[in-house]
Amino acid sequence: MSSPIRELKDHYQVVVVGSGYGGSIAACRLSRAGKQVCLLERGRELHPGEYPNNRRQAYDELQLHRPELVLGRRTGMYDLRVGEDVSVFLGCGLGGTSLVNAGVSLRPADTVFQQPSWPSGLRRDIHQGLTRGFDKAEAMLEPTPLPPALQPRKLTALEISSRSLSHARFSRPPINVTFHEAANTAGIHQSACTMCGDCVSGCNFGAKSTTLMNYLPDAHGHGAKIFTQVQVRHLAFTGKTWTVHCQVLRSGLEGSEESTRTVHADMVVLAAGTLGSTEILLRSGRRGRLQLSPELGKHFSGNGDVLGFGYDCSSKVDGVGWGPRVRRAHIGPCITGIIDRRSDPQWPMVIEEGVIPGALRSLLPLSFAVASGLVALDSDDTRARRFTREVTSFLHGLGALRRTQTYLVMSIDSASGTLTLDPGTDRIVVQWPQAGNQPVLAAIDDVLREATAPLGGTYLRDPLWTSLLGMRLITVHPLGGCVMAESAQGGVVNHKGQVFRGSGRSVYSNLYVADGSIVPGPLGVNPLLTISALAERSAELILRDHP
Ligand SMILES: Cc1cc2nc3c(=O)[nH]c(=O)nc-3n(C[C@H](O)[C@H](O)[C@H](O)COP(=O)(O)OP(=O)(O)OC[C@H]3O[C@@H](n4cnc5c(N)ncnc54)[C@H](O)[C@@H]3O)c2cc1C
Ligand code: SF4
C-alpha cells in the first residue's frame, strides 16, 4: 500500500499522522469523502507472514527507549518506553498498535462518558454521534467472541477463577479475530485463526483484524497516499496552511539532507498515539510557535493496567504461544475471556487472561526469576523457591510455565501522570511519581491472589511492580496528554478533537487530534473501540465543518 518517498508531494488537502485506529479511520473516512489524503507513518509496512516467529527475529524488532538512550532500530515493531515510574509498550508499523494487540473490542458503560471530565458536547452526543461511531467501528472491525466449540485451557481456568470472586460476571468478549476463512467488510481475504496464541508478536496468519486488514486498504482504495518510515517531528502554521516537518527513517538516509522533509497541508489530523501526538504538539509549541493549552501533556493514564501471573497451577493452562509450531497449536487468541467486576462499587475492574507469544517466551523465565526471587526474600514460600529452580528446567521444556495463567487487569487509576519533553534528548518521557502506590493496585493484588487460589497456583506480581524495582508500572493502554475538554483551561482539544488555540475556547479549525491521547481518563475496559468510535465521530464532524 505504501508509496516510495520520492512520490511524496509538496502539498495535500489533508495530512494524517499515524496508522493505528485513529489515523486509519481518519484516512479512510476523509478519502472516501473525496479529500486528497496523505498518511505518514513512522514504522514499516509488514504483512502477515513477515512478523517475528523466534527470539532472534523478535529482538531485531525491539526498540527500547530509556530517558538516556535508544536501543534497536527506530522502526522496530515492538516499541518499549522504559520510564522511571511507568513503562509503556506500543506497536510501530503500518497498522500501529493494532499489529501487536489482543483485539478485545468492548464498549465502556455509558456512565463513563457521563463523567464531568468529558466535554458537554460529547456528553450530549452519547446516544447519537458517539453511538454511531461505535456502530461504524464495529461494522468495520467485525469483533466476535471465540466460538463456543473452542475451549482453550486458559479460558477454562479463568472461568474457575471467576467463581471464587465477588461481583464477577464471566463471558467471552468480542475480539477482532476471524474464525472462518472469508473476505471481510473491506473486501480483504482473511484466514481462520489457528489458535497459535501469537497475536501480540503479530498474527502471521492474517486472522487478526488489524487496521492493515480493513481501514487502511479501504483508505488506499479510495486514493489515500501512504508513506511509511516517515516520522513527523513538529508542525508550524502560516495562518492558512500547515507545514509538517518530518524525518525520513529509511536506512541510508540518516543524517543526510534528504532525511528531513516538509509537507504542506490545509488540514492535519494527528493520530500518532498518546505518546506520539503529545510529543509532536509539545515540540510544535516550542518550535512551530503554536499557542497551545497549558494542559498539554497532563492527565496521562495507564487505564489502570496491571499484569499478574498465577504460577504453577495444578492443571495445564497453556498460556504460552508456540511460534511456528502451529500443528500443536491449541492455545487460543491472546484474550478469550473476561471477568467483569465493574459492578464492584469500591474497586471496579475487569480481569482477562493473556498469552505470552512464542517468540517472546524465553524472556519469561528471566522476569519470573526476578519476581520469585523477591517473593522468596520477602517470605519463606517453598513454592517460590521451587519455582526459581524450575526456571532452569524451563529452558529444556515448558515445565511449570505450562501451568501458568497470565492476568491482564484494567481498572480506574488517578490519571495524574504527565508527559514532558526531555530537554536533553527532545524525546517524550512519562512522569508519575508514586504511580505504583495507588490504593487500587493493592486491591487488584488481593483479587488476583483470590483468583489464583482455586487453580492451586502461586500468585506472582508483575516483576516490575516490586519494592526492589521501585514499584514501577507497565501499561499497554496509554491515554491522555491531549485530553478533550470544554476549553483550553481544562484540556487540549474540544469535543470534536479540534486543537484549542490560546487559553480559551477558540481553536485551530484545521488541526485535529484523533487517538488515545484525547481520552480524559481511564475507561475501565480495553480502549481500542472507544478510540475508534471517537475517531469515527470526529471524521463525521470534520466533514460537516469542512465539506
Ligand atoms: C500488547 C497489547 C495488547 C493490547 N490489547 C488490546 C485489546 O485487546 N483491546 C484494546 O482495546 N486495546 C488493546 N491494546 C491497546 C490498543 O491497541 C491501543 O489503545 C490503540 O492501538 C491506540 O490507538 P491509537 O490510534 O491511539 O494509537 P496507535 O495504535 O498506537 O497508533 C499510533 C501510530 O502512530 C505512529 N506514530 C507515532 N509517532 C509518530 C510520528 N512522530 N510520526 C509518524 N507516525 C508516528 C505509530 O507508529 C503508530 O502506528 C493493546 C496494546 C498492546 C501493546
Ligand atoms: S491465535 Fe494465532 S492465528 Fe489466531 S489471531 Fe492470534 S496470532 Fe492469529
Side-chain angles (χ1 to χ4, degrees):
M1 282 186 277
S2 48
S3 303
I5 192 72
R6 62 175 182 279
E7 291 179 13
L8 184 66
K9 291 202 268 182
D10 178 60
H11 179 268
Y12 294 88
Q13 272 183 314
V14 183
V15 166
V16 174
V17 184
S19 64
Y21 294 97
S24 304
I25 290 171
C28 163
R29 298 304 174 197
L30 299 185
S31 57
R32 266 181 174 252
K35 303 269 182 207
Q36 182 202 31
V37 173
C38 159
L39 183 147
L40 303 175
E41 163 59 49
R42 70 179 167 141
R44 282 131 61 223
E45 177 172 358
L46 294 173
H47 286 266
E50 297 177 318
Y51 305 126
N53 250 337
N54 58 43
R55 190 174 59 157
R56 192 186 50 74
Q57 292 167 355
Y59 277 148
D60 281 350
E61 288 297 337
L62 179 67
Q63 47 171 312
L64 193 144
H65 300 244
R66 286 184 56 86
E68 70 286 2
L69 85 160
V70 182
L71 297 173
R73 60 172 150 178
R74 282 192 291 161
T75 56
M77 244 180 103
Y78 313 130
D79 181 355
L80 181 61
R81 312 289 176 99
V82 180
E84 286 298 318
D85 314 302
V86 179
S87 296
V88 183
F89 181 53
L90 303 164
C92 170
L94 192 61
T97 306
S98 76
L99 299 175
V100 299
N101 72 10
V104 174
S105 277
L106 285 169
R107 295 187 188 207
D110 281 354
T111 48
V112 168
F113 302 108
Q114 284 155 2
Q115 300 297 316
S117 51
W118 293 85
S120 57
L122 189 111
R123 276 182 272 144
R124 280 196 304 271
D125 201 27
I126 295 174
H127 300 296
Q128 290 90 37
L130 187 61
T131 300
R132 237 181 359 262
F134 276 112
D135 293 345
K136 283 179 163 180
E138 283 173 340
M140 191 63 124
L141 297 170
E142 302 184 83
T144 175
L146 184 78
L150 299 170
Q151 185 68 35
R153 289 190 173 118
K154 64 194 180 81
L155 181 64
T156 307
L158 192 75
E159 187 164 11
I160 293 170
S161 295
S162 76
R163 291 190 211 122
S164 68
L165 300 176
S166 62
H167 303 97
R169 218 165 49 85
F170 175 82
S171 66
R172 297 177 179 220
I175 51 179
N176 300 339
V177 172
T178 48
F179 295 98
H180 60 275
E181 197 168 336
N184 65 19
T185 313
I188 303 296
H189 184 87
Q190 286 193 249
S191 302
C193 173
T194 64
M195 305 279 282
C196 71
D198 287 338
C199 315
V200 167
S201 51
C203 175
N204 274 319
F205 301 95
K208 193 168 81 164
S209 304
T210 63
T211 61
L212 196 66
M213 295 285 166
N214 36 62
Y215 282 110
L216 286 169
D218 196 80
H220 184 247
H222 286 87
K225 294 288 172 208
I226 297 175
F227 297 90
T228 52
Q229 294 178 256
V230 180
Q231 185 174 45
V232 172
R233 303 286 300 170
H234 74 276
L235 310 176
F237 190 48
T238 60
K240 199 155 186 289
T241 54
W242 291 95
T243 308
V244 182
H245 292 261
C246 316
Q247 189 167 24
V248 180
L249 301 178
R250 297 233 159 119
S251 60
L253 287 183
E254 293 91 348
S256 70
E257 237 175 68
E258 269 182 277
S259 75
T260 55
R261 295 287 296 263
T262 52
V263 189
H264 298 94
D266 303 331
M267 178 189 293
V268 174
V269 180
L270 284 180
T274 290
L275 300 191
S277 292
T278 309
E279 185 174 60
I280 293 167
L281 282 185
L282 283 166
R283 279 202 204 104
S284 306
R286 276 192 203 168
R287 301 224 190 121
R289 303 220 173 87
L290 300 194
Q291 297 158 42
L292 301 168
S293 159
E295 293 296 294
L296 179 60
K298 295 188 187 160
H299 312 290
F300 174 82
S301 162
N303 205 30
D305 277 12
V306 169
L307 178 68
F309 301 94
Y311 166 71
D312 194 12
C313 300
S314 37
S315 309
K316 283 182 191 155
V317 175
D318 282 337
V320 181
W322 283 102
R325 288 186 265 172
V326 291
R327 254 177 282 150
R328 297 177 65 183
H330 51 272
I331 308 290
C334 179
I335 293 172
T336 58
I338 181 168
I339 302 175
D340 192 339
R341 295 189 78 249
R342 281 178 289 171
S343 58
D344 180 340
Q346 197 181 9
W347 305 116
M349 68 180 80
V350 300
I351 306 167
E352 296 162 1
E353 97 291 10
V355 180
I356 307 298
L360 302 180
R361 70 175 180 216
S362 56
L363 297 180
L364 202 60
L366 187 66
S367 335
F368 276 12
V370 176
S372 71
L374 293 172
V375 174
L377 275 179
D378 289 344
S379 68
D380 192 24
D381 189 336
T382 49
R383 290 172 69 97
R385 273 193 257 117
R386 197 177 112 220
F387 165 69
T388 313
R389 282 200 305 277
E390 289 213 29
V391 167
T392 320
S393 79
F394 171 78
L395 295 173
H396 303 287
L398 276 180
L401 283 188
R402 281 201 74 178
R403 297 189 301 277
T404 294
Q405 177 72 297
T406 302
Y407 302 112
L408 307 162
V409 181
M410 280 129 264
S411 64
I412 304 296
D413 63 24
S414 63
S416 49
T418 304
L419 300 172
T420 55
L421 273 189
D422 182 284
T425 61
D426 203 28
R427 289 199 307 265
I428 198 152
V429 287
V430 183
Q431 290 179 333
W432 195 346
Q434 303 299 319
N437 292 324
Q438 298 172 79
V440 64
L441 302 174
I444 293 170
D445 215 32
D446 290 342
V447 171
L448 292 183
R449 195 166 284 109
E450 272 178 62
T452 307
L455 304 177
T458 301
Y459 167 61
L460 289 181
R461 288 172 168 189
D462 166 8
L464 293 176
W465 193 57
T466 50
S467 48
L468 280 190
L469 292 182
M471 303 302 279
R472 288 184 187 163
L473 298 181
I474 184 158
T475 179
V476 294
H477 300 145
L479 300 171
C482 306
V483 301
M484 279 188 165
E486 222 59 63
S487 75
Q489 299 295 319
V492 178
V493 300
N494 67 12
H495 75 98
K496 303 176 182 179
Q498 262 170 330
V499 177
F500 288 122
R501 178 180 199 157
S503 54
R505 285 169 194 253
S506 62
V507 290
Y508 289 103
S509 63
N510 286 345
L511 177 60
Y512 289 81
V513 184
D515 57 27
S517 69
I518 64 173
V519 176
L523 297 166
V525 290
N526 320 58
L528 82 78
L529 198 65
T530 301
I531 294 168
S532 304
L534 290 169
E536 287 279 13
R537 174 178 179 273
S538 187
E540 263 190 31
L541 296 170
I542 290 176
L543 290 170
R544 198 176 301 164
D545 289 349
H546 308 272

